[in-house]
Amino acid sequence: MEILKNLEEIKIEKPSDIIIKQIKNLISSGQLNPGDRLPPERQLSEKFGVGRSHVRDALRKLEFYGILKTLPQSGTVVAGLGVTALEGLINDVLDLNDHDFYSFVETRVLLEMHAAELAAERADVDDLIKIENALNAFEKEVDAGKQGVEEDLLFHLKIAEASKNSVLNSLLLIVIPDMIKLSKNLDICGDGRYKRAFEEHLEIFDCIKNHDKKGAGNAMKAHLNDLLTFSLEKKNKEKNK
């Protein structure tokens, strides 16, 4: 219908984004200046009226991009940058949530392939135990007819951890949780996809355990292929609107 062209999709903001915007407003208005310390996480949670996980997510993103920093015995403080620079950085962080979905997925695939390859090369016995425990927990959820979103997330994060690359691990800590939640919301993993996902997880783990670097990267790429295909189709549909 013609009228549909004049309607816009309703975008529901995440609590963490609203928190980031409020911090930006405090910086813009001069109530929060470079070097100022933020209240403790618990107090912020009570003031915002949201769970501490939302506050933690917001602070984690702001710290990752250098807007906030944690100092020993001082807590979390605003970085020593000019107000204009801080505002620009915060806008960039918020814009990540309105990104090109396909580019975001493509980046995740590249990062996770590399993480799997490095894990196959560097994982020690303790790493393998952690990855296997996450794999078993995911299997238990799938066998119970559940999607096991948190267990799925943990498996991927343990592989990133086993890469022994702190920067790569930090990047995936930012990307993976939101991506898995988004996949669930979009029902990308419907129609029994999680049963197949477990088999793919098992293949990735076997490659890592056997130090098969190339195999681990390829197995991870195959595992994420459905998500990549979905995001490309979504991009093409939006382009043709």
Side-chain angles (χ1 to χ4, degrees), residues 136-189:
N136 292 337
F138 183 53
E139 181 183 23
K140 186 177 179 180
E141 290 296 297
V142 171
D143 286 345
K146 300 177 182 177
Q147 291 187 336
V149 175
E150 291 183 5
E151 290 75 16
D152 185 5
L153 166 63
L154 186 62
F155 176 78
H156 286 270
L157 292 180
K158 288 305 173 184
I159 290 174
E161 197 175 294
S163 74
K164 309 296 187 187
N165 184 311
S166 59
V167 175
L168 180 59
N169 187 33
S170 295
L171 285 169
L172 287 171
L173 276 170
I174 295 290
V175 173
I176 294 177
D178 284 345
M179 183 64 71
I180 288 181
K181 289 175 186 175
L182 185 58
S183 298
K184 181 184 177 184
N185 292 339
L186 293 172
D187 199 27
I188 297 170
C189 300

Side-chain angles (χ1 to χ4, degrees), residues 102-115:
Y102 175 73
S103 295
F104 194 30
V105 173
E106 187 176 43
T107 300
R108 177 196 168 181
V109 172
L110 292 171
L111 291 174
E112 287 225 61
M113 283 178 63
H114 193 47

Side-chain angles (χ1 to χ4, degrees), residues 80-93:
L81 300 171
V83 172
T84 302
L86 287 169
E87 284 185 314
L89 281 170
I90 291 177
N91 282 334
D92 288 343
V93 174

Side-chain angles (χ1 to χ4, degrees), residues 37-226:
R37 185 175 66 175
L38 269 67
E41 189 179 285
R42 178 183 57 79
Q43 291 182 15
L44 288 171
S45 174
E46 292 173 355
K47 183 63 178 178
F48 288 125
V50 298
R52 291 178 69 169
S53 62
H54 294 302
V55 175
R56 196 175 300 119
D57 184 43
L59 298 183
R60 177 172 56 86
K61 287 182 179 178
L62 291 171
E63 185 170 0
F64 181 80
Y65 286 95
I67 297 159
L68 300 177
K69 57 184 178 180
T70 300
L71 301 177
Q73 301 179 330
S74 296
T76 302
V77 301
V78 180
L81 300 171
V83 172
T84 302
L86 287 169
E87 284 185 314
L89 281 170
I90 291 177
N91 282 334
D92 288 343
V93 174
L94 291 169
D95 283 344
L96 283 174
N97 296 304
D98 295 321
H99 45 54
D100 173 353
F101 182 54
Y102 175 73
S103 295
F104 194 30
V105 173
E106 187 176 43
T107 300
R108 177 196 168 181
V109 172
L110 292 171
L111 291 174
E112 287 225 61
M113 283 178 63
H114 193 47
E117 290 172 351
L118 290 178
E121 185 179 300
R122 302 172 178 176
D124 55 30
V125 174
D126 188 47
D127 291 319
L128 293 175
I129 290 172
K130 289 178 181 178
I131 297 171
E132 187 170 22
N133 286 341
L135 178 66
N136 292 337
F138 183 53
E139 181 183 23
K140 186 177 179 180
E141 290 296 297
V142 171
D143 286 345
K146 300 177 182 177
Q147 291 187 336
V149 175
E150 291 183 5
E151 290 75 16
D152 185 5
L153 166 63
L154 186 62
F155 176 78
H156 286 270
L157 292 180
K158 288 305 173 184
I159 290 174
E161 197 175 294
S163 74
K164 309 296 187 187
N165 184 311
S166 59
V167 175
L168 180 59
N169 187 33
S170 295
L171 285 169
L172 287 171
L173 276 170
I174 295 290
V175 173
I176 294 177
D178 284 345
M179 183 64 71
I180 288 181
K181 289 175 186 175
L182 185 58
S183 298
K184 181 184 177 184
N185 292 339
L186 293 172
D187 199 27
I188 297 170
C189 300
D191 300 325
R193 176 68 180 83
Y194 271 86
K195 292 181 180 179
R196 181 152 59 94
F198 168 72
E199 297 298 329
E200 293 167 356
H201 279 196
L202 185 59
E203 184 178 353
I204 294 167
F205 175 64
D206 284 342
C207 289
I208 292 173
K209 184 171 63 174
N210 294 319
H211 305 292
D212 180 358
K213 184 175 179 180
K214 185 176 180 180
N218 288 337
M220 181 63 79
K221 182 179 181 181
H223 174 55
L224 297 173
N225 188 61
D226 282 356

